[in-house]
Amino acid sequence: MSASEVNHGLDRLTACHLYNPHERRVIRRNFAEFLVWPAEGGAATVRGQMLTPLHRNVPLAAAEDPVLHELLALSDALRVGRARERELAREELKGRLSS
């Protein structure tokens, strides 16, 4: 990845309030919100891509079971990730489901 691509990426993260350029750090609270599924009772001001859950009860089930949450996050990477992300998720799921 070139320096200009990294710079543009950091600019986009800054615009989304996920990165603080002055401290050169990820804003963890905002980043954590960015990673969650849209759910009833969730914050209406959260920014990011919305991904429709596989089933309407998936967010509730994932909130109660951390292992299920990880598996569902990996399946979401298969659904919408780029080629590298899909391959990493595929390998991770394969390892977890075969053991």
Side-chain angles (χ1 to χ4, degrees):
M1 184 177 283
S2 71
S4 65
E5 287 176 303
V6 171
N7 188 49
H8 289 298
L10 290 174
D11 287 344
R12 287 191 301 273
L13 290 172
T14 300
C16 295
H17 305 285
L18 297 173
Y19 179 75
N20 182 332
H22 303 292
E23 295 179 8
R24 299 176 75 177
R25 299 181 74 154
V26 171
I27 303 170
R28 291 180 186 203
R29 181 177 41 90
N30 294 356
F31 186 68
E33 287 181 9
F34 175 77
L35 296 176
V36 299
W37 288 291
E40 264 185 53
T45 60
V46 174
R47 294 183 174 130
Q49 179 183 11
M50 184 173 123
L51 181 62
T52 304
L54 296 170
H55 184 274
R56 64 185 170 90
N57 290 328
V58 163
L60 298 172
E64 303 224 355
D65 185 343
V67 174
L68 176 62
H69 185 276
E70 291 173 6
L71 293 171
L72 290 167
L74 289 168
S75 71
D76 285 346
L78 289 173
R79 293 170 64 197
V80 298
R82 294 188 295 205
R84 183 174 185 275
E85 295 159 343
R86 286 193 314 267
E87 184 58 33
L88 289 169
R90 184 177 296 110
E91 289 302 313
E92 183 65 23
L93 274 170
K94 190 166 133 183
R96 289 182 183 214
L97 297 175
S98 67
S99 55

